[in-house]
Amino acid sequence: MKVQGVPMRSIWVESDGWSVGVIDQTRLPHAFVKVTLSTADEAGHAIRSMLVRGAPLIGATAAYGVCLAMRQDASDGALEQALTMLRATRPTAVNLHWALDGMRQVLAPLKPSERVAAAYRQAAALCDEDVAINRAIGEHALKLFQEAWDKKGRKGRLNVLTHCNAGWLATVDWGTALAPMYLAHDAGLPLHVWVDETRPRNQGAVLTAWELGQHGVPHTVIADNVGGHLMQHGEVDLCIVGTDRTTARGDVANKIGTYLKALAAKDNGVPFYVALPSPTIDWTIQDGVKEIPIEQRDGAELSDVTGRLPSGDIATVRITPPGSPAANYAFDVTPARLVTALITERGVCPATEEGMLSLFPERRAQRSAAK
Ligand SMILES: CSC[C@H]1O[C@H](OP(=O)(O)O)[C@H](O)[C@@H]1O
């Protein structure tokens, strides 16, 4: 996408041909800061600290983290050490494991002398695939936006609600849930987006609002608990969110609060869509509530708030009483029964095992073998 009219991706190889550039998402929206990663440890820190975040971007950053590790030491031991360190950065997004599995599959059979070039080729291919996948998701989801607009009699505006940030900042480019928003806006569809602030890290208020503003997409930031009220009053035509891991039967792990939004949508007959790139599908599990690991982060992310003072200085202040513990669950799981449809790069399907296999028939054989 573009920043101040300049096309860019959320991760890139610098002009030196080996170091990796990313946007420091912890500085947005008040500062647009690019950071260069030069070691695998810096890549690991960027993921753990959420300087970069979003399932696909976590995978891409980890892949380049392996590249940086191979530049320093391409031995078998160094490869395993880098894979282990990066795999441990965050537990929920399956893209991290998919990306690292892909790096290991390509690199392990090679001689150390061949690994650096192969690693950068694999990471670049992963990034290009992510961009293509997200664009395709955008096109499929755009048809659903247009259907909703027609159903509404093409009057007023199309109100879409989203949670957290599943935009180009969460991926290499385009985003997943936000990809159709850009395409719809550019196609002249009168779109308006309700942006859940998404406590406690505020990815909606901070990142989604920034992204949409950069692209000129009309939007309104709302508190996380407003969505149900808006749905009751007919102010939401559809919901669309991203995902960090979706099971083989369509259970969806996503940012904390997604489940409650899906419940409100179900109760009010509002379509609830999940933008689902295939690398985010965990074909090895069925029951998301029982089997998806839910990240718990530092309670300070909830008890403290960071923002800009009138002076322009950035400050962090505590909002909870000293001594009050805070529980900071970063994700929840929306059962497939609450999902209207999954929007993948291959098309739209019901959130069911058969629905997903209809789009990914090559997985049918694997599932039969696993049973
Ligand atoms: C396109 S995946 C975006 C997904 O990742 C976010 O989590 P986090 O910001 O903690 O990495 C959130 O769950 C988004 O839906």
Side-chain angles (χ1 to χ4, degrees):
M1 297 309 286
K2 292 181 180 176
V3 177
Q4 266 95 37
V6 178
M8 70 179 300
R9 288 180 170 185
S10 63
I11 189 169
W12 61 92
V13 175
E14 300 284 18
S15 55
D16 58 17
W18 64 269
S19 60
V20 178
V22 294
I23 299 163
D24 182 347
Q25 298 190 27
T26 65
R27 303 289 300 276
L28 288 171
H30 303 304
F32 182 78
V33 176
K34 296 176 180 178
V35 170
T36 298
L37 308 176
S38 303
T39 67
D41 284 343
E42 288 175 358
H45 170 72
I47 297 169
R48 271 191 302 274
S49 66
M50 295 179 66
L51 185 147
V52 297
R53 29 65 52 199
L57 182 57
I58 288 171
T61 306
Y64 276 114
V66 176
C67 297
L68 295 169
M70 293 297 94
R71 279 196 80 253
Q72 288 186 309
D73 177 352
S75 67
D76 292 353
L79 174 59
E80 287 310 312
Q81 185 180 4
L83 291 168
T84 301
M85 179 275 290
L86 290 162
R87 205 179 287 278
T89 49
R90 293 186 73 190
T92 304
V94 72
N95 307 59
L96 174 64
H97 305 285
W98 173 82
L100 292 173
D101 290 346
M103 296 301 285
R104 172 200 273 258
Q105 189 175 355
V106 167
L107 300 181
L110 299 179
K111 291 190 293 231
S113 61
E114 299 168 335
R115 285 176 173 165
V116 174
Y120 277 89
R121 280 196 302 272
Q122 176 65 12
L126 181 150
C127 289
D128 290 344
E129 183 186 28
D130 182 64
V131 173
I133 285 174
N134 299 338
R135 175 65 196 251
I137 288 174
E139 297 290 354
H140 292 304
L142 175 61
K143 294 185 187 114
L144 296 172
F145 281 30
Q146 288 164 335
E147 285 170 14
W149 179 232
D150 291 341
K151 184 179 174 189
K152 169 166 206 180
R154 305 169 71 84
K155 292 189 178 68
R157 64 188 188 181
L158 183 70
N159 288 305
V160 172
L161 184 146
T162 195
H163 190 71
C164 198
N165 174 256
W168 70 273
L169 288 173
T171 68
V172 176
D173 203 349
W174 280 107
T176 57
L178 269 60
M181 298 179 192
Y182 297 125
L183 292 174
H185 175 73
D186 293 350
L189 196 150
L191 179 73
H192 167 263
V193 184
W194 296 113
V195 178
D196 274 359
E197 62 177 337
T198 317
R199 288 279 297 145
R201 291 289 305 225
N202 303 313
Q203 289 96 321
V206 166
L207 302 177
T208 296
W210 180 83
E211 275 198 39
L212 296 175
Q214 284 288 319
H215 202 79
V217 180
H219 62 280
T220 305
V221 178
I222 53 175
D224 289 325
N225 297 323
V226 170
H229 167 75
L230 291 172
M231 292 183 212
Q232 285 177 325
H233 290 266
E235 291 294 331
V236 179
D237 298 305
L238 65 91
C239 298
I240 185 167
V241 299
T243 175
D244 296 82
R245 188 184 304 223
T246 292
T247 72
R249 75 179 187 192
D251 290 350
V252 173
N254 197 51
K255 186 51 50 188
I256 192 77
T258 303
Y259 170 42
L260 296 180
K261 212 56 56 154
L263 284 171
K266 190 75 172 181
D267 190 52
N268 290 280
V270 173
F272 190 86
Y273 296 116
V274 175
L276 171 62
S278 59
T280 311
I281 301 172
D282 185 344
W283 295 98
T284 69
I285 59 175
Q286 290 277 330
D287 185 331
V289 172
K290 288 182 182 161
E291 300 183 80
I292 296 177
I294 299 297
E295 179 182 21
Q296 292 192 55
R297 295 184 61 88
D298 187 334
E301 293 181 350
L302 191 148
S303 57
D304 300 353
V305 175
T306 299
R308 181 166 66 178
L309 299 172
S311 64
D313 294 330
I314 301 298
T316 297
V317 297
R318 186 180 179 95
I319 58 172
T320 58
S324 289
N328 184 6
Y329 295 90
F331 299 95
D332 60 23
V333 175
T334 299
R337 60 180 163 77
L338 297 177
V339 177
T340 305
L342 301 169
I343 307 166
T344 78
E345 67 272 22
R346 294 189 188 179
V348 181
C349 71
T352 62
E353 182 168 17
E354 191 46 48
M356 296 168 78
L357 289 174
S358 69
L359 290 179
F360 298 93
E362 70 274 20
R363 291 288 179 171
R364 201 178 293 279
Q366 284 167 310
R367 296 220 38 78
S368 306
K371 283 179 177 172

